[in-house]
Amino acid sequence: MTRTRITGTGSAVPENIRTNFDLEKMVDTTDEWITTRTGIRERRIAAEGEYTSTFATRAAERALEMAGVAAEEIDLIIVATITADFPFPATACLVQSNLGAKKAAAFDIAAACSGFVYGLSIADNAIRGGTARKALVIGAEVLSRIIDWTDRNTCLLFGDGAGAVVVEACEGERGILSTHLHSDGSYWELLYQPGCGSRNPAVQQTLDERKIFLVMQGNEVFKLAVRAMEDAALQALETNRLTPSDISIFIPHQANRRIIDAIGKRLGLGADKVYVNLDRYGNTSAASIPLALDEANRGGRINEGDIVLFDAFGGGLTWGSALVRW
Ligand SMILES: CC(C)(COP(=O)(O)OP(=O)(O)OC[C@H]1O[C@@H](n2cnc3c(N)ncnc32)[C@H](O)[C@@H]1OP(=O)(O)O)[C@@H](O)C(=O)NCCC(=O)NCCS
């Protein structure tokens, strides 16, 4: 049976670190408040001259190196992002050019923080359907450029970075076992960027009204995230006739420590099974799961045959899960 297997992981983050203590000097907040309410201690911020494609390309290069796959062998490049280099062309096309992945089809998807799981699902279907044999799925963001650094409700949560996987058609039992994707557009106003699209184009008025920045209703998002992520995790397990005790490692979207803890508790997972790195990176949206995956993988936390569960939630609203036998 042909399955889609993750054969390489990679990640890349900016060098520049912005700590909670730095934020204390920018908005009315404290390290104690941010740590207690979110679990975040610091985040990475892109420097001038660094773009979403910069980190996407570096993460992809590292994933290709681990997989032992040449860029020229890649059939498909999917970049999940809400902070593309340009409205068009797709950041995936820039990555294709940077890598020299000449035969790859390349496009972006905008599913906010669920983008990586969405991209993985699309790549899995392309590979099992036979239209691609080797693909790159990348989650990459430079959110710092759409954050209002005077808004204490949002500026402490987000960070920049990228994660990537190489996926390949393989025979056998190892690989992606299932993906489940969901959305509910009736909640679109809970988390969005008002400006720079066709409703509020990038003109002076949009800038003056500060509509270029991300806005969020944090409390509502929090409650919906816990419920949706629990449902998506259980759906993945039920589909594969597994129980939470079968999970070797749970890699959830890294938005808020309290959201992750609540889901871990509902699933009955011990802290040793739940991978968390948001203390160092904050919420990197589409990059968060592949960034955490790469750290866990290179840190020796994932072994052959392990059951790995990805669980995502984001603006849209969008959410979903992917279950993998490593
Ligand atoms: C944003 C978030 C951290 C706020 O935490 P919260 O516990 O809901 O906090 P509240 O907004 O209810 O605010 C509680 C109090 O802290 C204050 N406060 C808010 N932001 C603060 C800050 N940065 N520093 C200090 N105090 C702050 C509020 O004014 C409020 O004070 P009050 O009780 O005197 O009115 C939380 O709602 C969250 O993480 N939501 C999910 C966001 C998310 O993950 N989005 C991405 C999804 S992919």
Side-chain angles (χ1 to χ4, degrees):
M1 177 179 188
T2 301
R3 284 199 192 276
T4 306
R5 193 179 296 167
I6 296 174
T7 55
T9 64
S11 59
V13 293
E15 282 189 10
N16 180 23
I17 295 173
R18 188 166 293 170
T19 67
N20 292 349
F21 298 104
D22 295 328
L23 289 180
E24 283 182 356
K25 296 178 201 127
M26 299 167 71
V27 289
D28 180 15
T29 192
T30 60
D31 168 60
E32 204 263 329
W33 192 95
I34 302 172
T35 311
T36 316
R37 301 278 177 149
T38 71
I40 299 164
R41 294 183 183 279
E42 58 189 43
R43 66 287 293 144
R44 300 299 180 104
I45 305 294
E48 208 178 313
E50 291 181 324
Y51 318 111
T52 298
S53 62
T54 313
F55 303 108
T57 303
R58 276 185 213 152
E61 283 168 347
R62 288 169 188 163
L64 286 167
E65 191 186 6
M66 183 188 285
V69 169
E72 295 79 9
E73 297 174 61
I74 294 292
D75 302 306
L76 174 66
I77 300 174
I78 300 173
V79 173
T81 186
I82 49 164
T83 50
D85 282 32
F86 307 108
F88 77 93
T91 298
C93 292
L94 307 179
V95 173
Q96 184 216 24
S97 167
N98 291 344
L99 295 174
K102 289 196 171 57
K103 75 168 174 173
F107 61 91
D108 290 358
I109 52 169
C113 305
S114 309
F116 176 75
V117 168
Y118 266 65
L120 200 61
S121 180
I122 294 166
D124 178 37
N125 280 294
I127 285 175
R128 286 185 299 107
T131 54
R133 286 200 62 80
K134 299 181 190 211
L136 268 167
V137 182
I138 305 166
E141 304 285 7
V142 175
L143 291 161
S144 59
R145 307 238 161 98
I146 63 160
I147 296 300
D148 180 351
W149 291 100
T150 66
D151 175 13
R152 71 174 185 172
N153 294 308
T154 52
C155 76
L156 49 96
L157 292 172
F158 298 97
D160 302 336
V165 296
V166 173
V167 286
E168 299 183 56
C170 293
E171 297 305 312
E173 295 304 310
R174 294 172 56 209
I176 296 173
L177 302 177
S178 66
T179 61
H180 291 94
L181 306 180
H182 300 280
S183 55
D184 186 344
S186 65
Y187 290 111
W188 68 269
E189 280 177 291
L190 291 186
L191 179 53
Y192 77 114
Q193 182 186 3
C196 303
S198 60
R199 284 206 197 187
N200 300 297
V203 296
Q204 192 59 44
Q205 188 185 349
T206 301
L207 284 172
D208 293 343
E209 292 172 353
R210 304 183 72 76
K211 283 187 174 156
I212 60 168
F213 299 122
L214 172 157
V215 291
M216 180 183 71
Q217 294 175 39
N219 276 314
E220 284 306 306
V221 171
F222 190 104
K223 281 180 261 173
L224 290 162
V226 174
R227 198 181 324 139
M229 289 176 76
E230 183 195 9
D231 287 351
L234 291 175
Q235 191 177 24
L237 292 171
E238 277 160 21
T239 300
N240 294 286
R241 298 201 168 85
L242 297 173
T243 65
S245 63
D246 295 309
I247 298 172
S248 313
I249 184 164
F250 177 56
I251 304 183
H253 170 49
Q254 311 278 314
N256 184 313
R257 180 77 207 220
R258 290 186 294 141
I259 294 176
I260 295 173
D261 288 348
I263 300 159
K265 201 170 158 196
R266 285 173 182 221
L267 295 176
L269 296 173
D272 58 318
K273 294 270 183 87
V274 182
Y275 197 82
V276 178
N277 68 357
L278 95 166
D279 50 322
R280 285 171 290 127
Y281 302 115
N283 179 348
T284 56
S285 192
S288 95
I289 289 178
L291 177 56
L293 170 66
D294 185 47
E295 272 199 4
N297 190 26
R298 288 176 193 265
R301 290 281 301 273
I302 311 179
N303 300 303
E304 192 174 318
D306 275 358
I307 296 292
V308 183
L309 177 58
F310 305 130
D311 197 4
F313 178 88
L317 296 175
T318 56
W319 65 99
S321 59
L323 198 75
V324 176
R325 181 176 290 114
W326 200 259

